[in-house]
Every structure is written in C-alpha cells, then in structure tokens.
Amino acid sequence: MDLQSFHRLFDERGRLLDETRFRKVVFEDGLAAETRQEAWLFLFRFYPYDSTVKEREVHKIEQEMRYRALKARWKSLVSEGEEAVLTSSPANEDPSLGYARLQAELWVRKALASVTNEKISPEIIAVKKDVGRTDYAPGLTPKLQNELYDVLVSFAALQPDVGYVQGMNDILARFLHVLPDQAEAFWCFHNYILSIANEFSSNGMVAKIASVKQLVLELDLELYSHLKKQDIADLTFCHRWLLLGFHRELTINDSVCCFEKITSHHLELNGMEGEKERELLRKQTFKIDGGSARMSGPTVKQDFAFDLFLCVALLTSIRERLLLCADEADIFTTLQSLSHKINLDGMMNAAKDLFYQYCKKSVHDSFILL
C-alpha cells in the first residue's frame, strides 16, 4: 500500500475509521517503505484509529514528554541512587509545552513509584549483556545500541511485572528500523510486548508450541510421525520462530514485512475472516448434502493463530528434505540452513492455503450425516 492509498483510508477529519479494511490491506498487500513509518503508528496503537489530526498532535506531544520523563527518572535513580528531580526544560522548548512536560513528570512519578535502583539494576545488567548481541543485519552502530539500551530499560522500568526478557532486543531492532523517532518506537514496542507478554513466560510459549504440534498432527500426519520417530516431535525449535516472528530466518526487509502481516491479525480463526470462511463452507457442505446434514458442534481450535500456520508452512516447504533426515542432528542442520533463505511470498501463500485447509477440515469434521 503506497502513501496515497493509505491516506485515502482517512475521513475529512483525519480519522482512520475502517480498522478492518486497513488491517486487511496490510495483510494482503503489505506496506510500501514510504507508508510504513506512518502506518505502524496505527498498527501498534500509538495513535487511536478514531483520532483526529488535532488529537494526534496533542497525543504525540504527551507521549514524547512521558517517554522523556520516564527515561530521565530511571537514569537519575541509577546514577545517583536518589529520587529523580523534575526534568529541566530544553532551551529551545516551546513555552506552551511546559504544562505537558509537568503532567508527564507527575505521571512518571506515579508510574515508577515503586522502582528503585536495586530493582532496576538487574534489568540493566541483562539489557547491557544482550544489546551487543542483537541480530540486526544492517549493523549495530553505537547510536543504535544506545537506543536499544534506553528503550529496553525504560520498558523494564515501566512494566516491572514483564521486565526485560531475552529476545526483546531483536524485536525492538525491528521497531527502530522502521521508526526513527525513539519515543514513537518505545510506545509501539511497549504496546506490542504487552499484547504478547504471555509468550515470554515459559507456560505461555510451551502452550503455543504445543498448538503448533497439534496443527502439524492435523495437517501433515506423515511429517509429524517422522519428527516423532526422530524424537523431535516436541517442536521446541519453533520457539525462536514464534517469539521473534521469523526475524532470523528472513532478510531484514522481509522480516519487517512478515512482522506487520502477522500483527495485522487479519487472518485469524477467531476473527471475521476465519468465521466468514467457515460459514461459507458450512453452507456449501449443507447444500451438497441436500440439507441432510447437521452440525455436531464446532471443532475449530480458535487459538491457532496465523503465525502457527506460518510455522507449519515452513516445515511443509522442506518436508521432503526433513523426511530424508535420519536423525535429530540432520533435522537441526536442515532447519539451520534456512537462515535468510526463505521466500516470504511463498511461505505466506502456503500458510494461507493451510489456514483455509484447516477451516475446511474443521467444518467437515463438525457435520454428522443423518
């Protein structure tokens, strides 16, 4: 979607009212490089979809001030071990922004009331350890490393119940690649991580990998049986694919494109498109059976998110190679050979085919002939 097409989605007051259409276009067509920076601010809810141009101007100032105050707060705690003082007003700051800055300072005092140097120090150590190991193909410059450090520690300070977890650095690199404004990158990253926070817990990711296992079992029994025979049917190798959105398997540009398609949540079993497809198939099946079939109840597993279908698509794309693997080591070697060699369009199309195949299977399984 080019910038002109994106702007046509807004009404005369600057509101993006048709969120469903927007997400559909992101999923089906992707975003042009010229559009991505502006569109991501809506995709990751930096801006509310129904906000006007004027409301977004105010919101941007507020969020900028909050991020500035947040960063100043934890840096003061770390450097001095004392309570942070009000951040000074920049020499070139518009005097009219003084109220917004003061409100941000009051907000951050409340938000970080329980944060101390002792609590934030372990997070800082973990972030410093990982920042230099961030997987970012264009190269880690000192500027980028500083930005990664500031945003990750700021997130850990603001969301101590989630904190910093290894892998967040790779995810953030993607946001900083698209969004040059650090405050915008922080809030988009913040909103995204909170939406998937459960996946950073051991139980959450174990459950998601178990869903991939179940999906492979239902869609490709032969492949699943072979993986089980090689004692690798737990599919723990999918952990990185799911957590990072295939970040290390794709080139940086394809990684960004894949990420926005996944996070559009357009094609989901519990979403509008999934239900429309199943309803169409129900009608077709009922018609074919001459009205002599009735539903026995839904069998669709709605927590099969689209990224799970991408995992299965990736496995089925190399299934013949995997079936020839004689042991676990051969399988891992085959999987590792995929790095930066995956055709994104091919994988997306295969995942969509698998999605519709699963919809069809779930509908057929839910009918009982009378």
Side-chain angles (χ1 to χ4, degrees), residues 116-175:
T116 63
N117 183 36
E118 290 73 20
K119 289 183 178 180
I120 198 66
S121 291
E123 302 284 3
I124 289 175
I125 292 171
V127 169
K128 284 184 175 179
K129 183 178 179 180
D130 284 350
V131 159
R133 301 187 297 192
T134 301
D135 187 347
Y136 183 65
L140 282 174
T141 63
K143 178 178 180 294
L144 177 58
Q145 292 191 57
N146 288 335
E147 289 180 332
L148 287 165
Y149 172 77
D150 283 351
V151 171
L152 291 170
V153 178
S154 295
F155 176 84
L158 184 59
Q159 300 294 341
D161 290 342
V162 180
Y164 170 74
V165 181
Q166 191 174 51
M168 288 184 179
N169 54 319
D170 287 335
I171 295 173
L172 176 58
R174 200 186 266 135
F175 281 97

Side-chain angles (χ1 to χ4, degrees), residues 180-197:
D181 184 291
Q182 190 178 135
E184 292 177 349
F186 168 78
W187 288 113
C188 288
F189 169 79
H190 169 273
N191 296 343
Y192 173 70
I193 293 297
L194 289 188
S195 73
I196 65 161

Side-chain angles (χ1 to χ4, degrees), residues 81-339:
E82 301 174 356
E83 186 172 325
V85 297
L86 288 173
T87 54
S88 58
S89 176
N92 61 345
E93 183 180 76
D94 186 335
S96 65
L97 300 180
Y99 178 73
R101 183 174 57 82
L102 178 60
Q103 288 295 104
E105 190 64 44
L106 294 174
W107 167 81
V108 83
R109 283 179 178 274
K110 181 179 179 180
L112 270 62
S114 63
V115 176
T116 63
N117 183 36
E118 290 73 20
K119 289 183 178 180
I120 198 66
S121 291
E123 302 284 3
I124 289 175
I125 292 171
V127 169
K128 284 184 175 179
K129 183 178 179 180
D130 284 350
V131 159
R133 301 187 297 192
T134 301
D135 187 347
Y136 183 65
L140 282 174
T141 63
K143 178 178 180 294
L144 177 58
Q145 292 191 57
N146 288 335
E147 289 180 332
L148 287 165
Y149 172 77
D150 283 351
V151 171
L152 291 170
V153 178
S154 295
F155 176 84
L158 184 59
Q159 300 294 341
D161 290 342
V162 180
Y164 170 74
V165 181
Q166 191 174 51
M168 288 184 179
N169 54 319
D170 287 335
I171 295 173
L172 176 58
R174 200 186 266 135
F175 281 97
L176 290 171
H177 179 78
V178 173
L179 301 169
D181 184 291
Q182 190 178 135
E184 292 177 349
F186 168 78
W187 288 113
C188 288
F189 169 79
H190 169 273
N191 296 343
Y192 173 70
I193 293 297
L194 289 188
S195 73
I196 65 161
N198 185 54
E199 294 179 18
F200 282 95
S201 69
S202 57
N203 290 339
M205 185 50 70
V206 166
K208 192 158 188 178
I209 292 174
S211 291
V212 179
K213 176 181 174 180
Q214 181 63 31
L215 196 56
V216 175
L217 179 61
E218 293 196 30
L219 295 177
D220 197 331
L221 179 58
E222 181 184 10
L223 178 58
Y224 175 79
S225 299
H226 178 70
L227 294 175
K228 185 177 181 179
K229 182 180 179 181
Q230 305 306 327
D231 198 28
I232 199 173
D234 56 10
L235 304 187
T236 53
F237 56 81
C238 291
H239 176 273
R240 189 179 73 187
W241 298 354
L242 293 167
L243 191 65
L244 304 184
F246 305 93
H247 175 67
R248 296 183 179 178
E249 283 65 43
L250 298 165
T251 63
I252 183 61
N253 290 332
D254 280 353
S255 169
V256 167
C257 185
C258 181
F259 184 59
E260 66 195 13
K261 287 175 180 288
I262 292 173
T263 52
S264 73
H265 298 299
H266 169 67
L267 204 60
E268 300 289 356
L269 291 170
N270 61 357
M272 185 183 301
E273 290 300 313
E275 182 53 38
K276 282 170 57 179
E277 179 66 17
R278 291 195 299 278
E279 181 60 26
L280 176 63
L281 288 167
R282 289 187 197 106
K283 292 178 179 179
Q284 290 175 346
T285 302
F286 194 78
K287 184 177 181 180
I288 291 171
D289 291 331
S292 61
R294 290 180 183 172
M295 296 260 316
S296 65
T299 61
V300 64
K301 189 172 172 56
Q302 294 195 355
D303 56 354
F304 283 171
F306 187 72
D307 55 350
L308 273 62
F309 288 93
L310 283 170
C311 287
V312 180
L314 183 52
L315 289 173
T316 55
S317 71
I318 56 168
R319 72 185 306 276
E320 299 307 321
R321 292 168 59 188
L322 291 174
L323 290 173
L324 291 174
C325 291
D327 54 36
E328 181 179 346
D330 282 350
I331 290 175
F332 275 112
T333 299
T334 300
L335 294 172
Q336 289 169 357
S337 70
L338 299 175
S339 182

Side-chain angles (χ1 to χ4, degrees), residues 28-43:
E28 293 184 346
D29 301 333
L31 295 167
E34 62 178 1
T35 312
R36 187 165 283 133
Q37 183 178 333
E38 189 176 344
W40 274 35
L41 299 180
F42 291 90
L43 187 61

